Amino acid sequence: MRRNYFVEGVLTVLLCIVLTVNASANRSIGFDEIKGKVTGRIIDSVTRLPVSYATISIFKINNPSPINGVVSDDNGAFVLTNVAEGTYRIVVDFIGYHKKSINNVTISKASADVSLGSILLAPSTNQLKTVEIVSKAPIVENKIDKQVYNVANDLTSQGGSAADVLPKVPQVTVDIDGNVSLQGNSNIQFLINGKPSSIFGASLADALQSIPASQIKSIEVITSPGAKYDANGTGGIINIVLKESKIEGVNGSVNLSAGTRRENGSLNLNIRKGNFAVNAYFNGGEQINSTTINKSNVLSYNGARDTSTNQAQYGSSSFRRGGFQSGLSLNWDITKKDQLTISGGYNQFENHNFGLTNQDQLTSDLANNLIVSDVQSLRNSDSRFVGKYFDYSAAYKKTFAKENQELDILVHASDGNNQSNFSQQQTYLTGGYPASGTIGNNPGKDHETDISIDYTQPFTKQFTIETGAKATLENINNTVVTDTLKNGSYVPNANQTYGFNYDRKVYAAYLSATFSLFNDFFDGKAGLRDEYTSTTADFPGTNIPGYNILAPSAVLTHKLDETQSLKISYTYRIQRPDYGSLNPFYNVSDPHNISTGNPNLRPEEGHNYEFGYSKNFASGANIYVGLYYRYNTNDLQSYTTFYDSLKVNGTTYSNVSLTQRANIGTETTDGLSLFASLPVTKQFNLRSNMNFSDRITTNPGNPTVSGFIYRINLNATYEFGNDLTAEIFGNYNSSQRTIQGTRPIFAFYNVAVRKQLMKKKFSIGLTATDPFNKYINQTSTTSGPNFYQTNLREVPFRSFGITLSYKFGKLEFKKEKKDDNNNLPDNPDGGGGK
């Protein structure tokens, strides 16, 4: 029945699209009306390097107001689309350069597409010794295949980390523990600067906490990845783009923050001289020790014995984490068409969790209403984790005489060394039970190499082909050594000691096309990716079969006018189970809550559909409305089963909640995503992100679970003048139904103020998070045929902080002697660039 509803919904949406498109065509576009395109590339007339983020505006003759405008990309290129027939004036402007005007640019039937070639911008001769260039991009940009959240003006995240920025990003939800979901799906592929990183493999929450917000330029959300992207991640892709300057000279920034919950600092240094550039950064941070109060209660039934057991746990755990990152990249423009980039980085983070838990296990005879036993105990636990990671890459880019023809070759490698240790000891307060406990040591290594080659071939202005291939080679070695407490001393436990070698290879190739139809009435991109996965692991009795998948993707956009557009897309994605999900080893660090993997897991398959509408207003306001439908099969879920007694490798444990991963039926999600930015006045701006979805999970042999989920946040910014700005941000995540229970509500708010000094080179900021609430309560439930469990955590979230930031830089505009004419850009004097 639900599929019928979906079909009806899709037909309704398609009908609306057709009616809208037809109305737009009759009203404003028309197949007979000429719609042209103006392209070009902005070049520094002295250094012959591209000028990024220059503003290109188009004016009708004798009209002082522009009718449209764009910003040049990293290569200095720009495209003005949907230009009606007529004669225009093009104006190029950027701070530090003389403004450039190009007159009499004509769009006609005979010449619908006009290329201005390379447009030379001359640096101003009256430059200050120190120049600060500010390019204020919109907070959120809607592009054909992604949404981009620009972090620079995010006040409430200053002094925080990537985990603090992500809740602001459209369609992204983050819970109190740093778990991230995209459109309600937590199977996300994370990238840094478009590349995978080993730091995300061991602990995503630790990795996100180790990246300071001051280091982030933007966060890209890709819910409909094209064929060029890896097919893994049914939720989509989140790409964290770090800051990097492309300005000639020496510049950088220093950021320091201190607070009651977190401290961090970062240093960025950028040096660019002619054809060479060096970018270096170092950042580090620490989450100060905090104590969480934990309460849980498990009520279970044993039908064979007609008994019930109530197991209550109450305690507290202290937690702290810290880490640092460093990186260095070298960029060499070998010739005007050849660029080489070599980069490397070292990252380290660690966490420590220790606590004391009081336990009371009361068993009753239901038939005779008698207490069978009452066992009281005290459990001490301690766990530590340290991860050290190296990332290094070499990238080569080759451009050709034809515009947008390009060859890219990338070799990227990551090495990780992980060390985790845990201990737990249980002392019984009621007599007759000897103390029990375990100590575990778990060193591991992982290595991943990615080799890719991509080629872009434009055939016409309206048609471009992209193709490429990639190999991903991953190897993980892990060892677990466990000692068990016996007769007052710890002795080796062979049943809890093991080692394994895990090897996965993914080979992929893709072909995609970018096209325009009916005089740019439609712009689209479609492709197909082929991926073959081979996995071997020496888990006992395990044979993991290889598999091949074909992943199609398509996106189609239509620009209704210069201010609004429509988008519809489809992508096929998979979620490969990772080594932790496949590993059959039993984790008994908490003997009442044991977890294990499942080597028989199959990849989850996802079909993702989206329909989006965006609108920009003359006032500066903009909105985005997106409808999405996700249908997953072989859905990967965690499932908990309760056992009165469970025998694991020769040891019997009582009253155990065993959590395993399984391919559970299907999951269907219908959702609505909203983003709006409203400049109420010149000083006051409001932004809001909302996400509403209904998720239905089927589990053969169990009832179907349906749950409505929503996330709402609101951001208000006010500029008082004299470079003083204040901001408040509030976020609310609703509770969520799962296949076995509920997940908790998460709500918080931040307040921040920032004052800029010394011509905006220096700033000081103050932040506060939940200043009137010491704890955030997190209540969750889990249930099964024979048990019901409740958990309450009181998490300290309140914090106060101060942030200091200093930007430095000296920009040099000196004419340099060019020894090699190959370093000049294409057609330096062509297309009105004189």
Side-chain angles (χ1 to χ4, degrees):
M1 191 65 179
R2 179 164 184 82
R3 290 191 179 182
N4 292 335
Y5 289 149
F6 171 66
V7 170
E8 292 173 7
V10 170
L11 292 176
T12 302
V13 170
L14 292 176
L15 179 60
C16 291
I17 294 172
V18 172
L19 293 175
T20 304
V21 168
N22 287 338
S24 175
N26 294 330
R27 180 180 69 253
S28 59
I29 302 292
F31 288 107
D32 295 329
E33 185 179 351
I34 298 299
K35 284 293 181 180
K37 182 188 298 183
V38 180
T39 61
R41 190 169 180 236
I42 314 303
I43 301 294
D44 186 306
S45 65
V46 175
T47 66
R48 303 295 184 177
L49 293 173
V51 178
S52 306
Y53 308 111
T55 301
I56 300 92
S57 305
I58 182 169
F59 298 77
K60 289 184 177 179
I61 298 300
N62 299 323
N63 190 336
S65 300
I67 63 170
N68 196 7
V70 294
V71 176
S72 60
D73 64 16
D74 290 344
N75 295 315
F78 70 89
V79 181
L80 288 161
T81 59
N82 286 328
V83 183
E85 187 174 5
T87 302
Y88 300 90
R89 175 169 58 97
I90 306 295
V91 176
V92 182
D93 192 16
F94 192 53
I95 297 175
Y97 292 87
H98 290 294
K99 187 179 292 186
K100 183 86 172 185
S101 294
I102 305 167
N103 298 317
N104 300 318
V105 177
T106 302
I107 299 294
S108 64
K109 291 183 179 180
S111 180
D113 295 338
V114 176
S115 174
L116 300 180
S118 296
I119 302 172
L120 302 183
L121 281 191
S124 300
T125 56
N126 58 340
Q127 292 297 305
L128 299 174
K129 289 183 179 180
T130 300
V131 180
E132 182 187 8
I133 294 180
V134 179
S135 178
K136 190 173 181 179
I139 292 292
V140 174
E141 298 177 82
N142 296 307
K143 299 190 176 183
I144 186 171
D145 62 344
K146 60 190 172 185
Q147 284 186 295
V148 181
Y149 181 81
N150 295 299
V151 181
N153 296 307
D154 188 342
L155 265 64
T156 52
S157 295
Q158 60 183 332
S161 65
D164 299 303
V165 178
L166 282 167
K168 317 284 188 69
V169 179
Q171 308 186 80
V172 175
T173 302
V174 184
D175 69 16
I176 199 168
D177 298 311
N179 301 307
V180 184
S181 60
L182 181 55
Q183 292 183 346
N185 191 318
S186 59
N187 295 325
I188 306 167
Q189 183 182 18
F190 274 86
L191 304 174
I192 294 181
N193 293 333
K195 298 187 287 287
S197 176
S198 57
I199 68 170
F200 294 127
S203 172
L204 176 62
D206 282 330
L208 294 175
Q209 288 282 0
S210 72
I211 305 174
S214 60
Q215 187 68 34
I216 303 172
K217 173 188 172 185
S218 62
I219 294 180
E220 299 176 346
V221 174
I222 309 171
T223 55
S224 302
K228 187 175 182 178
Y229 293 97
D230 292 341
N232 193 51
T234 51
I237 295 172
I238 293 179
N239 181 32
I240 299 174
V241 182
L242 302 181
K243 290 180 178 178
E244 178 185 12
S245 174
K246 298 190 176 182
I247 301 172
E248 186 80 3
V250 179
N251 59 87
S253 65
V254 179
N255 301 275
L256 298 172
S257 66
T260 58
R261 191 164 61 96
R262 183 173 178 81
E263 299 174 340
N264 62 45
S266 66
L267 170 66
N268 296 272
L269 178 64
N270 309 288
I271 305 171
R272 180 175 289 272
K273 187 72 173 179
N275 295 338
F276 293 92
V278 178
N279 300 96
Y281 70 88
F282 177 87
N283 60 66
E286 181 179 19
Q287 180 178 319
I288 299 172
N289 186 53
S290 60
T291 301
T292 298
I293 298 173
N294 304 287
K295 303 174 184 178
S296 72
N297 193 86
V298 182
L299 180 62
S300 61
Y301 301 92
N302 187 322
R305 299 177 183 174
D306 200 16
T307 60
S308 69
T309 299
N310 190 83
Q311 180 181 291
Q313 293 181 314
Y314 175 84
S316 62
S317 59
S318 296
F319 181 80
R320 67 186 306 160
R321 60 156 55 99
F324 66 87
Q325 292 183 306
S326 60
L328 177 69
S329 67
L330 308 175
N331 184 278
W332 178 25
D333 293 325
I334 304 170
T335 71
K336 65 173 182 177
K337 299 182 183 300
D338 299 273
Q339 183 183 84
L340 178 65
T341 302
I342 298 175
S343 62
Y346 174 72
N347 313 300
Q348 177 176 321
F349 54 78
E350 58 186 89
N351 63 56
H352 181 204
N353 192 358
F354 59 95
L356 185 67
T357 303
N358 289 280
Q359 303 176 131
D360 187 355
Q361 184 174 302
L362 181 66
T363 303
S364 300
D365 183 340
L366 297 178
N368 299 304
N369 195 25
L370 298 174
I371 295 177
V372 176
S373 65
D374 186 1
V375 180
Q376 299 176 15
S377 60
L378 189 65
R379 184 166 65 91
N380 285 279
S381 62
D382 190 298
S383 64
R384 298 173 185 266
F385 174 83
V386 178
K388 302 176 181 180
Y389 308 95
F390 294 89
D391 288 284
Y392 32 94
S393 65
Y396 169 73
K397 175 180 286 188
K398 172 76 174 178
T399 56
F400 299 86
K402 192 166 188 176
E403 186 179 4
N404 296 325
Q405 184 181 4
E406 187 176 290
L407 174 68
D408 292 277
I409 300 174
L410 172 66
V411 178
H412 176 80
S414 298
D415 282 296
N417 289 276
N418 307 317
Q419 178 71 47
S420 60
N421 300 282
F422 77 88
S423 68
Q424 67 86 18
Q425 182 170 325
Q426 194 161 265
T427 304
Y428 292 90
L429 305 179
T430 50
Y433 299 93
S436 63
T438 55
I439 295 177
N441 179 32
N442 178 204
K445 294 182 179 180
D446 61 84
H447 176 80
E448 181 176 327
T449 300
D450 298 271
I451 304 170
S452 63
I453 180 169
D454 302 281
Y455 177 71
T456 304
Q457 175 64 58
F459 290 93
T460 67
K461 295 286 186 181
Q462 289 78 29
F463 185 71
T464 299
I465 288 289
E466 289 182 276
T467 187
K470 181 178 181 180
T472 299
L473 313 175
E474 182 182 9
N475 179 261
I476 298 174
N477 292 105
N478 212 325
T479 302
V480 177
V481 178
T482 305
D483 293 342
T484 301
L485 181 63
K486 286 187 177 182
N487 300 322
S489 61
Y490 285 93
V491 297
N493 185 339
N495 291 324
Q496 286 287 299
T497 298
Y498 79 107
F500 71 84
N501 183 69
Y502 173 92
D503 190 82
R504 170 175 283 173
K505 297 179 176 66
V506 181
Y507 303 100
Y510 73 92
L511 180 67
S512 69
T514 304
F515 51 86
S516 296
L517 302 173
F518 310 119
N519 265 346
D520 296 329
F521 188 75
F522 288 115
D523 290 317
K525 192 168 187 177
L528 182 67
R529 186 177 184 89
D530 188 352
E531 287 190 352
Y532 176 75
T533 303
S534 172
T535 305
T536 59
D538 55 4
F539 302 142
T542 297
N543 181 24
I544 304 173
Y547 49 89
N548 189 81
I549 63 107
L550 292 174
S553 61
V555 58
L556 194 65
T557 65
H558 169 60
K559 203 168 186 178
L560 297 172
D561 55 36
E562 297 301 325
T563 66
Q564 54 185 336
S565 62
L566 299 172
K567 177 183 80 171
I568 190 167
S569 67
Y570 165 77
T571 54
Y572 173 87
R573 308 281 294 170
I574 66 168
Q575 181 65 38
R576 299 184 186 91
D578 59 21
Y579 80 95
S581 298
L582 295 170
N583 188 357
F585 175 74
Y586 286 82
N587 182 346
V588 293
S589 56
D590 180 350
H592 292 296
N593 294 280
I594 299 176
S595 61
T596 183
N598 179 2
N600 297 315
L601 290 175
R602 302 181 302 279
E604 177 179 302
E605 301 177 53
H607 302 269
N608 304 336
Y609 303 83
E610 282 192 68
F611 173 70
Y613 167 79
S614 62
K615 167 74 174 178
N616 296 319
F617 297 87
S619 64
N622 63 83
I623 63 170
Y624 175 80
V625 182
L627 299 173
Y628 57 88
Y629 172 83
R630 296 175 175 271
Y631 179 71
N632 294 347
T633 58
N634 290 331
D635 197 48
L636 287 170
Q637 296 274 2
S638 293
Y639 192 84
T640 300
T641 306
F642 185 84
Y643 294 91
D644 292 305
S645 63
L646 179 67
K647 192 171 186 178
V648 177
N649 295 327
T651 302
T652 300
Y653 301 91
S654 63
N655 294 292
V656 175
S657 295
L658 176 66
T659 301
Q660 299 170 286
R661 294 278 278 174
N663 292 108
I664 297 178
T666 65
E667 182 177 274
T668 304
T669 304
D670 305 309
L672 170 67
S673 178
L674 299 172
F675 169 80
S677 178
L678 175 64
V680 181
T681 68
K682 289 184 178 180
Q683 293 80 28
F684 185 44
N685 183 273
L686 291 174
R687 297 194 311 273
S688 182
N689 283 314
M690 304 181 191
N691 193 77
F692 307 90
S693 64
D694 180 52
R695 184 166 67 186
I696 295 180
T697 304
T698 64
N699 181 11
N702 293 277
T704 297
V705 176
S706 176
F708 181 72
I709 317 162
Y710 60 95
R711 189 284 303 267
I712 299 175
N713 65 40
L714 180 66
N715 196 100
T717 305
Y718 191 86
E719 298 181 3
F720 291 95
N722 297 319
D723 297 322
L724 177 64
T725 307
E727 184 173 286
I728 184 169
F729 171 77
N731 184 84
Y732 182 88
N733 296 350
S734 72
S735 62
Q736 179 178 336
R737 285 281 310 273
T738 67
I739 58 173
Q740 287 188 280
T742 60
R743 292 179 184 169
I745 294 170
F746 177 37
F748 69 93
Y749 67 97
N750 296 331
V751 181
V753 62
R754 180 178 67 186
K755 172 67 175 176
Q756 294 178 303
L757 305 165
M758 300 169 58
K759 297 181 179 180
K760 297 186 178 182
K761 290 190 299 183
F762 177 78
S763 69
I764 180 171
L766 301 174
T767 61
T769 300
D770 266 21
F772 302 109
N773 299 300
K774 183 177 181 180
Y775 294 102
I776 288 181
N777 292 334
Q778 298 278 279
T779 302
S780 60
T781 64
T782 306
S783 62
N786 62 336
F787 77 101
Y788 183 82
Q789 179 175 349
T790 60
N791 294 279
L792 170 64
R793 292 191 305 149
E794 298 178 13
V795 183
F797 205 68
R798 180 172 63 187
S799 67
F800 302 91
I802 182 172
T803 300
L804 305 176
S805 178
Y806 177 71
K807 300 177 183 178
F808 59 89
K810 183 178 181 182
L811 307 185
E812 299 177 359
F813 295 96
K814 295 181 180 179
K815 188 172 183 178
E816 300 175 9
K817 181 179 178 181
K818 298 292 181 182
D819 297 326
D820 185 356
N821 289 332
N822 286 333
N823 289 329
L824 298 176
D826 293 332
N827 189 19
D829 297 319
K834 295 182 181 180

